[in-house]
Amino acid sequence: MADLPILEMRNITKAFPGVIANENISLDLKKGEVHALLGENGAGKTTLMNILFGIYKADEGEIFMEGKQISISSPHNALKYGIGMVQQHFTVVPSFTVAENIVLGLKGMGFFIKTKTVESSIEKLGKSYDLPVNPRARVWTLSVGEKQRIEILKLLYTGAKVIILDEPTAVLTPQETEILFKAMRKLVNEGSSVIFISHKLDEVLEISDRVTVLRGGKVVGTEVRDSVDRRSLVRMMVGRDVLLDFDKPKTEPGKTVLQVENLTVKNDKNLEAVKNLSLSIKSGEILGIAGVAGNGQRELAEAIYGLRKPVQGKVVLNDKILRHTDVAQRIKGGVAFIPQDRRAVATCPSLSITENVFMKNSYSMYLPQSPFNLNTRAMQRAAKELISDYSISTPSTKTQARFLSGGNLQKLVLARELSTKPCLIIAEHPTRGLDIGAMEFVYKTLLAHKERGAAILLLAGELYEIFRLSDRVAVIYEGEIMGYTPPDPSFTEEIGFMMAGSKRGEIS
Ligand SMILES: Nc1ncnc2c1ncn2[C@@H]1O[C@H](COP(=O)(O)OP(=O)(O)O)[C@@H](O)[C@H]1O
Ligand SMILES: [Mg+2]
């Protein structure tokens, strides 16, 4: 009995037009285990769990619960079997209280329960799993971490025994992740089972009892925690060895390249997103800005690059004060921008690769005898060279940018922005959504430019990436810098406190 898996998926296949998202996947879940589902973007993790939660129907395959075959037709149906899922995007209603949200979720299941009863049970449930929430708080006042706790409590309240968490740590501070992991441990100790989806190796190694790795819609293998390490997991995920842990090149910082003084910038809602912020970066130096997304990173990057008009403050490049919202002046001054939205902001999807490469410096490609004719042949030749230098996989230079995968599109952006040897690089989430192979390429490219003497402002959500690349780490919270630390994982806790809003000053 103890060996019988609580849940088993057998030979699951699911195709979408043009892609087989899950191919003959088998997975079993034991009672009382944290089972990690690890894989790169697009490996098929969410699809598989959407099938288990009744959101999609598999084309082929079977699901068994405690040995009995079941058919799951909808999320409500899944909950009746005791299977619950916290999706990547939460489903709570902001203007309702915590308890009201939970009652709302139960209505569809045919329960009739008083909000007051739910309030006290939620409080108790939260206490017993170390998931503290105030059931009377309005959801809009809560942090992302608290909203996630409500989603989990909602599932526990309905009696879920199998809890699926889809990339739950992507939006959490290190402390919130700790709280979540403690609760996960408690859950499995009480006899529940957890499927933990992630693409972060360290987290998988920390929390899981077993790991199943998916690649390209197939299972590469299922291993117990103690028989794997970072290296073997990467190899399973990617299919080859990848060196993400290379050393930073040692460079002596040179003269100050970028100076930002007392910058205040409003966001699209006309609220101050960056508040009186100052920073400086020297030649050969990478300053990493850590912070939960939405704390002013985007507005800061856009104001420095001239895409957004600051309310006050100065941006100084190589001792020259830049005019606000003058992007051309920045391009000529040698500033490169790698924005987080590569489909809508960084590239023009319906233009060819060549056109995308040259859209910023086409003036250098005019034929001398006629200022209106672009030297298209020279452009094609140069584009070909960049395609090979940056190993962009594409059928031709004339292919439209929208047909490139995320990784290749990002290489295209890097090719355009970095081939002119900029003195300042603003890199906003440069590896978000990329696979490990493309990530390795981006890291190496940025470090090579640091070694060449570029100053780099790195805005990233993942601390791993910040530590990997930066020389100094600044933590941003609600548009202000809370403090600086060295780029060392031993400062994770300090950084976490600062990410949640406590000021620390300089730590070294
Ligand atoms: N609703 C859908 N329609 C079409 N294709 C989809 C859909 N959902 C996922 N896919 C595709 O299936 C593959 C696996 O996606 P997904 O399960 O989301 O991967 P993961 O969660 O591991 O990142 C990807 O190629 C993705 O583009
Ligand atoms: Mg997913």
Side-chain angles (χ1 to χ4, degrees):
M1 190 59 205
D3 288 319
L4 189 69
I6 177 156
L7 194 80
E8 211 184 337
M9 299 180 88
R10 271 191 218 157
N11 308 104
I12 300 286
T13 294
K14 173 77 186 170
F16 293 112
V19 55
I20 300 180
N22 290 163
E23 193 173 344
N24 205 21
I25 293 184
S26 294
L27 179 81
D28 71 278
L29 183 67
K30 290 180 185 156
K31 190 171 151 70
E33 80 167 335
V34 175
H35 193 131
L37 202 52
L38 176 71
E40 300 205 86
N41 255 307
K45 308 177 295 288
T46 298
T47 302
L48 186 70
M49 289 303 114
N50 280 343
I51 289 170
L52 190 54
F53 193 47
I55 293 172
Y56 294 148
K57 198 170 165 7
D59 301 335
E60 281 168 54
E62 290 146 4
I63 300 172
F64 296 84
M65 187 135 215
E66 289 169 327
K68 276 204 267 325
Q69 186 168 358
I70 57 171
S71 153
I72 302 167
S73 55
S74 68
H76 279 145
N77 187 229
L79 283 168
K80 284 186 181 152
Y81 285 117
I83 302 168
M85 176 163 172
V86 178
Q87 286 167 280
Q88 267 164 306
H89 304 285
F90 305 149
T91 55
V92 281
V93 183
S95 56
F96 283 20
T97 67
V98 171
E100 283 163 353
N101 261 285
I102 289 170
V103 172
L104 186 73
L106 297 174
K107 280 218 169 99
M109 296 184 68
F111 288 108
F112 293 94
I113 297 165
K114 286 217 178 71
T115 308
K116 278 256 177 294
T117 327
V118 174
E119 279 176 3
S120 65
S121 332
I122 284 299
E123 208 151 23
K124 257 190 241 151
L125 205 56
K127 274 200 189 112
S128 69
Y129 285 101
D130 287 337
L131 287 167
V133 289
N134 169 8
R136 279 165 293 274
R138 304 242 161 234
V139 163
W140 66 268
T141 63
L142 305 181
S143 72
V144 182
E146 286 168 314
K147 280 185 206 149
Q148 188 179 62
R149 275 174 231 161
I150 297 165
E151 295 274 356
I152 297 171
L153 289 172
K154 204 161 86 178
L155 297 180
L156 293 172
Y157 191 83
T158 62
K161 285 278 159 223
V162 173
I163 313 260
I164 307 162
L165 303 171
D166 194 352
E167 310 250 8
T169 64
V171 290
L172 302 182
T173 65
Q175 279 80 6
E176 286 172 327
T177 300
E178 269 317 302
I179 293 177
L180 175 68
F181 280 5
K182 254 200 218 138
M184 282 164 68
R185 279 271 143 250
K186 210 149 198 178
L187 276 168
V188 296
N189 287 341
E190 306 271 324
S192 298
S193 307
V194 176
I195 300 180
F196 170 64
I197 302 186
S198 180
H199 63 267
K200 297 183 193 171
L201 302 167
D202 295 320
E203 291 183 352
V204 166
L205 287 168
E206 178 181 341
I207 192 70
S208 52
D209 300 298
R210 286 194 302 158
V211 192
T212 292
V213 181
L214 296 187
R215 184 184 349 130
K218 294 184 197 158
V219 173
V220 182
T222 296
E223 306 284 347
V224 294
R225 157 69 188 83
D226 289 337
S227 68
V228 289
D229 56 17
R230 277 184 67 91
R231 199 189 156 116
S232 61
L233 285 179
V234 168
R235 193 194 303 233
M236 288 171 82
M237 266 171 90
V238 188
R240 65 178 172 89
D241 268 324
V242 176
L243 274 177
L244 283 177
D245 299 312
F246 37 77
D247 289 334
K248 284 176 209 163
K250 298 223 173 356
T251 50
E252 271 307 308
K255 62 177 199 47
T256 299
V257 174
L258 173 73
Q259 217 169 323
V260 170
E261 289 172 28
N262 307 104
L263 202 64
T264 296
V265 189
K266 285 187 174 175
N267 62 14
D268 295 337
K269 293 181 188 151
N270 211 29
L271 303 170
E272 284 185 3
V274 176
K275 295 169 195 153
N276 201 27
L277 184 149
S278 300
L279 59 82
S280 74
I281 313 177
K282 294 194 164 87
S283 162
E285 183 183 54
I286 301 183
L287 174 66
I289 306 246
V292 175
N295 274 284
Q297 295 94 324
R298 163 179 231 140
E299 290 79 7
L300 175 64
E302 289 179 352
I304 295 175
Y305 194 59
L307 290 171
R308 191 178 281 271
K309 191 175 179 173
V311 180
Q312 63 150 47
K314 268 192 264 179
V315 178
V316 185
L317 181 73
N318 293 319
D319 300 325
K320 190 173 168 197
I321 299 176
L322 296 176
R323 283 185 297 275
H324 290 326
T325 69
D326 187 343
V327 178
Q329 189 192 21
R330 285 154 174 88
I331 295 175
K332 286 193 190 121
V335 183
F337 183 34
I338 303 166
Q340 62 168 300
D341 188 346
R342 51 194 86 112
R343 295 232 179 245
V345 179
T347 58
C348 195
S350 58
L351 293 183
S352 73
I353 293 188
T354 307
E355 287 162 328
N356 266 291
V357 166
F358 287 104
M359 63 200 217
K360 283 176 75 174
N361 55 350
S362 51
Y363 53 82
S364 63
M365 279 289 159
Y366 286 114
L367 288 170
Q369 63 272 39
S370 112
F372 299 106
N373 267 347
L374 284 167
N375 187 349
T376 42
R377 219 186 272 154
M379 282 167 70
Q380 299 288 3
R381 218 180 307 123
K384 258 197 193 128
E385 232 165 76
L386 287 179
I387 285 174
S388 113
D389 287 355
Y390 285 80
S391 34
I392 299 168
S393 127
T394 169
S396 97
T397 53
K398 297 195 178 93
T399 306
Q400 290 177 22
R402 67 193 161 105
F403 292 117
L404 296 183
S405 73
N408 282 303
L409 199 62
Q410 186 69 331
K411 285 179 185 172
L412 174 65
V413 175
L414 292 181
R416 181 185 68 213
E417 296 295 321
L418 305 182
S419 58
T420 53
K421 299 206 165 58
C423 61
L424 171 67
I425 301 167
I426 305 164
E428 205 188 340
H429 299 291
T431 64
R432 180 175 284 174
L434 298 189
D435 60 43
I436 293 190
M439 220 158 111
E440 181 190 33
F441 183 86
V442 173
Y443 288 177
K444 281 190 173 154
T445 306
L446 287 177
L447 288 176
H449 282 271
K450 160 191 155 74
E451 203 166 10
R452 172 179 68 71
I456 302 178
L457 177 66
L458 170 71
L459 301 117
E462 312 246 348
L463 284 182
Y464 172 78
E465 182 160 304
I466 297 255
F467 294 143
R468 202 71 275 127
L469 298 176
S470 315
D471 300 291
R472 287 188 295 147
V473 182
V475 186
I476 194 167
Y477 172 78
E478 293 193 343
E480 294 180 63
I481 287 180
M482 295 286 116
Y484 287 84
T485 76
D488 191 294
S490 61
F491 292 97
T492 301
E493 193 184 350
E494 303 281 351
I495 291 172
F497 285 131
M498 292 192 259
M499 279 166 84
S502 75
K503 269 213 166 91
R504 288 283 157 138
E506 184 110 14
I507 302 166
S508 51

